[in-house]
Amino acid sequence: MTQQFLDRYIAGSSAIHGLDARVKLVLTVAIIVCAALMPIGAWLALLALTVLIWTAIVVSGVGLLTILRRSLLALPFLAVVVTLIFSVPGRPLFELPLGFATLTATDAGLLRFTTIIWKSWLSMQAALLLTATTHFLEVLRALQALRMPRIIVALLSFMYRYLFILVDEAQRLLRARECRSAALEGSGGGSLLWRAQVTGRLVGTLFLRAFERSERIYVAMLSRGYTGELHTLRAQAIGRRDLWFGVGGGVVLAIITAQAFLG
Amino acid sequence: MLETLVRSLVLALHISDGLLSLPVSALFWLLTVASVGWAVRRTEQALDDRQVPLMGVMAACIFAAQMLNFPIVGGTSGHLLGGALAAIVLGPWAGVLVMTCVVALQALLFQDGGIVVMGANIFNMGVLTAMSGGAVFYILLRIIGRRAWGLVGSSFIAAWLTVVLSATMTSLQLIASSAYPASLVLPTMIGVHMLIGVGEGLITAAALSFLLATRPDILPAWIADEMRGTSRPLSTRKILGFGLGIAGIMALLSPFASSAPDGLEWALQTLGGGSSGLSAGSPVGLLPDYTIPGVGGGLSTILAGLVGVLIVVALGYGSALLIRRRRAETRATKSITTS
């Protein structure tokens, strides 16, 4: 697993890429909150929001298809929403006979299901656009500027730096286990207790290696002059263009939300 | 259909956007901000420079450790959530921060769970697991630590409990959002996670035993003290404080569950076809349906919860006193025989 998986589109030079990370972060959160606020059946507002996000995606040059494909990753998590079609009371639409019970789909359930899927799909795309056009460390800097506690920002940045190294470490451990236990697939390969114990030792080993790595990192940081503060040379002023972009985006979102509730 | 449902319920510890109503999402953002903020303060008070890289790398480690799975039955496999392990090794406050970072990064970079509901996700999988796992492990090890199975038993129970609590909280949030009927969500979620929790418990126990055997120096000093039997006995006030704290939280949350029949009642209702025989009119039910007659609504549920809590605390206090007295006696006889 490599960092490339996440950072493939960060090197772009579009207006979206160049936007100040703080403005981008605030706008993304605003889009997500706006989507969350949408009442059930506010189709026009949802459509407008979709157009807005898709425009931003096209402008960014990341590619609509790329974002849509990545948003499919979260589909299994949404499977649980399907039950809504049958569990919300309303006018019955059709029946689904199962072995032990008959499920009745209702119009209210279907309405709610469609709205929820659309809303969460939109917020997913907004989040994907942010992470595809902004380096994660920029997002962290923006978070820090927005008063996120320093220690959380520091932890997230360490975590991001060492995530892929430790995932590789974990995969090496898994490969070693597979090499040594030929019949582990399915139910074979020892009792459940034994298998859990092996996995527990893998976790323990991973923990130890991470611990020892963190000690090396700390010594390396000390020898480079670490005194408990993380310094950065980057300028912190927000440009006028960024500010106008942020205000404009905010106004559009406010109009869309107002339409959803009043229109 | 059923299989998909169960699968998605298993996955549903990562709630996605849209599943929780806005008030519930907002409430759990508030709870999460408050508890993580508290954890930040507690950690910063005792922070030494060395711990920042340690906690950061440990967060990455928990993330990676969640990939280490083992086959259970059929196509399902168990893997670690890690909250209990993080809290045991790093301490509960640092554990909360580490797990918060894990859940947040999963949502931000890998679309595991939504953004609007991230507060709830962090609360369920980060705050709740680390706090309850750390506290339960502490209490249990202080009570049964000196036995051969003390460490394994305490960590198994603590880790198992974190998964079940996390699943319970998730289903309560789903029910409070009135998205799902309680009779469907609660028994399925809790039932499935009581099984998944066994995996969590076994892995956590094995990992801890491994760490104790290879590098006891990186574990908190009190664990080794407890295992060697050189620690001072646990003060009753501490046991009482912990118990009251956990129970108080449960009582405050009880209105969420007020209308939801619990798993046992649900099973009885489904099997027996009639109304449940547990709450209504049974001589055991001092507080019928967890309410106090004459007090209305949610307040009544909370009060009933608190009364129940007091009874449980009294029972626990009594048994703890008994255990301590017996332990003191055996120690006295031991010291006589050795001298």
Side-chain angles (χ1 to χ4, degrees):
Chain A
M1 194 174 178
T2 61
Q3 212 116 353
Q4 271 243 299
F5 166 73
L6 292 172
D7 293 350
R8 201 178 304 160
Y9 301 96
I10 282 177
S13 56
S14 72
I16 305 282
H17 282 86
L19 196 62
D20 186 277
R22 280 162 287 183
V23 174
K24 242 188 295 191
L25 183 66
V26 171
L27 273 183
T28 308
V29 171
I31 289 177
I32 291 170
V33 170
C34 178
L37 284 173
M38 292 285 162
I40 287 161
W43 306 126
L44 193 64
L46 278 173
L47 202 66
L49 204 56
T50 315
V51 171
L52 185 73
I53 294 175
W54 283 9
T55 316
I57 294 175
V58 170
V59 168
S60 75
V62 175
L64 201 51
L65 251 135
T66 318
I67 297 279
L68 294 187
R69 208 172 41 234
R70 279 201 198 174
S71 69
L72 289 183
L73 273 179
L75 217 56
F77 292 99
L78 282 173
V80 73
V81 190
V82 175
T83 52
L84 270 184
I85 302 177
F86 308 104
S87 66
V88 177
R91 196 166 54 81
L93 286 183
F94 61 88
E95 294 200 331
L96 195 70
L98 291 177
F100 53 95
T102 309
L103 294 173
T104 314
T106 61
D107 58 342
L110 200 62
L111 215 63
R112 195 153 164 184
F113 166 77
T114 321
T115 315
I116 284 182
I117 289 280
W118 197 344
K119 279 159 68 162
S120 46
W121 187 53
L122 281 185
S123 44
M124 212 166 351
Q125 290 177 49
L128 278 169
L129 181 64
L130 175 74
T131 47
T133 57
T134 323
H135 198 281
F136 189 68
L137 296 177
E138 287 291 323
V139 177
L140 288 183
R141 256 182 224 126
L143 280 175
Q144 185 157 21
L146 298 170
R147 297 291 155 81
M148 176 74 94
R150 271 231 300 281
I151 184 161
I152 302 248
V153 175
L155 290 192
L156 280 172
S157 71
F158 271 107
M159 190 181 167
Y160 180 74
R161 285 195 177 94
Y162 293 100
L163 187 64
F164 296 94
I165 295 174
L166 284 168
V167 167
D168 282 346
E169 194 96 67
Q171 279 174 343
R172 278 200 293 278
L173 288 170
L174 278 180
R175 206 179 311 139
R177 179 184 70 178
E178 265 153 43
C179 293
R180 287 181 177 87
S181 39
L184 202 63
E185 280 299 313
S187 60
S191 68
L192 186 68
L193 212 61
W194 179 81
R195 271 178 274 156
Q197 199 180 26
V198 169
T199 312
R201 284 180 189 156
L202 292 190
V203 171
T205 308
L206 189 68
F207 222 87
L208 267 189
R209 290 187 187 169
F211 182 85
E212 279 157 5
R213 186 180 292 276
S214 86
E215 281 185 327
R216 292 200 299 276
I217 294 166
Y218 178 66
V219 173
M221 284 163 71
L222 278 188
S223 59
R224 287 170 177 79
Y226 175 70
T227 54
E229 290 274 334
L230 295 173
H231 297 287
T232 167
L233 280 176
R234 204 156 292 242
Q236 288 289 322
I238 292 188
R240 183 167 291 175
R241 208 176 55 96
D242 296 326
L243 213 56
W244 279 118
F245 195 100
V247 171
V251 169
V252 173
L253 285 176
I255 292 173
I256 293 178
T257 315
Q259 198 282 328
F261 280 96
L262 305 174
Chain B
M1 176 70 191
L2 188 68
E3 200 184 337
T4 348
L5 183 68
V6 170
R7 281 249 170 100
S8 49
L9 280 171
V10 173
L11 285 171
L13 274 191
H14 284 98
I15 304 171
S16 45
D17 271 344
L19 286 187
L20 296 189
S21 69
L22 278 182
V24 175
S25 311
L27 173 70
F28 277 92
W29 264 114
L30 278 180
L31 286 176
T32 298
V33 168
S35 39
V36 172
W38 181 248
V40 165
R41 280 190 57 185
R42 291 296 301 256
T43 323
E44 274 176 345
Q45 275 169 11
L47 196 66
D48 109 50
D49 291 347
R50 184 183 297 266
Q51 277 199 306
V52 178
L54 171 64
M55 285 162 65
V57 177
M58 279 308 163
C61 170
I62 295 282
F63 182 98
Q66 294 188 347
M67 303 181 66
L68 300 173
N69 59 341
F70 71 104
I72 301 178
V73 276
T76 58
S77 60
H79 75 82
L80 198 70
L81 205 60
L85 188 62
I88 291 169
V89 179
L90 302 171
W93 304 114
V96 166
L97 294 190
V98 162
M99 290 308 289
T100 299
C101 290
V102 171
V103 179
L105 208 72
Q106 281 171 342
L108 290 175
L109 292 183
F110 300 95
Q111 283 75 49
D112 287 353
I115 309 279
V116 180
V117 295
M118 203 161 94
N121 277 332
I122 292 179
F123 190 84
N124 300 344
M125 287 180 286
V127 177
L128 198 62
T129 56
M131 296 305 297
S132 62
V136 171
F137 177 75
Y138 180 78
I139 290 286
L140 281 180
L141 193 68
R142 295 297 315 255
I143 294 174
I144 59 175
R146 257 156 266 188
R147 288 161 184 80
W149 45 270
L151 184 85
V152 171
S154 323
S155 53
F156 176 85
I157 295 172
W160 179 82
L161 206 65
T162 61
V163 175
V164 176
L165 274 181
S166 193
T168 311
M169 187 55 79
T170 307
S171 15
L172 289 184
Q173 287 159 354
L174 287 171
I175 292 162
S177 306
S178 69
Y180 299 95
S183 57
L184 174 74
V185 174
L186 263 182
T188 324
M189 278 287 272
I190 296 178
V192 168
H193 283 90
M194 280 165 103
L195 284 179
I196 293 182
V198 173
E200 176 91 10
L202 290 176
I203 297 179
T204 306
L208 259 187
S209 321
F210 174 82
L211 286 176
L212 191 75
T214 48
R215 286 285 301 269
D217 55 309
I218 70 169
L219 294 177
W222 69 269
I223 294 183
D225 283 353
E226 192 58 51
M227 302 297 292
R228 277 196 304 269
T230 51
S231 64
R232 278 189 298 161
L234 191 59
S235 80
T236 335
R237 256 182 51 206
K238 230 169 187 169
I239 298 184
L240 205 64
F242 266 115
L244 268 179
I246 295 172
I249 293 170
M250 299 304 279
L252 286 178
L253 291 170
S254 57
F256 279 114
S258 58
S259 59
D262 58 20
L264 184 61
E265 277 189 58
W266 175 79
L268 283 177
Q269 272 172 358
T270 324
L271 291 176
S275 69
S276 84
L278 269 189
S279 53
S282 90
V284 194
L286 287 174
L287 309 167
D289 245 347
Y290 306 111
T291 53
I292 291 178
V295 189
L299 186 67
S300 157
T301 313
I302 293 180
L303 281 179
L306 286 176
V307 170
V309 163
L310 287 179
I311 296 173
V312 172
V313 165
L315 286 175
Y317 187 68
S319 46
L321 275 182
L322 272 179
I323 290 176
R324 272 184 74 190
R325 188 170 301 161
R326 189 174 302 163
R327 203 192 259 186
E329 276 164 14
T330 48
R331 202 177 301 152
T333 45
K334 237 184 222 165
S335 60
I336 290 168
T337 48
T338 44
S339 65

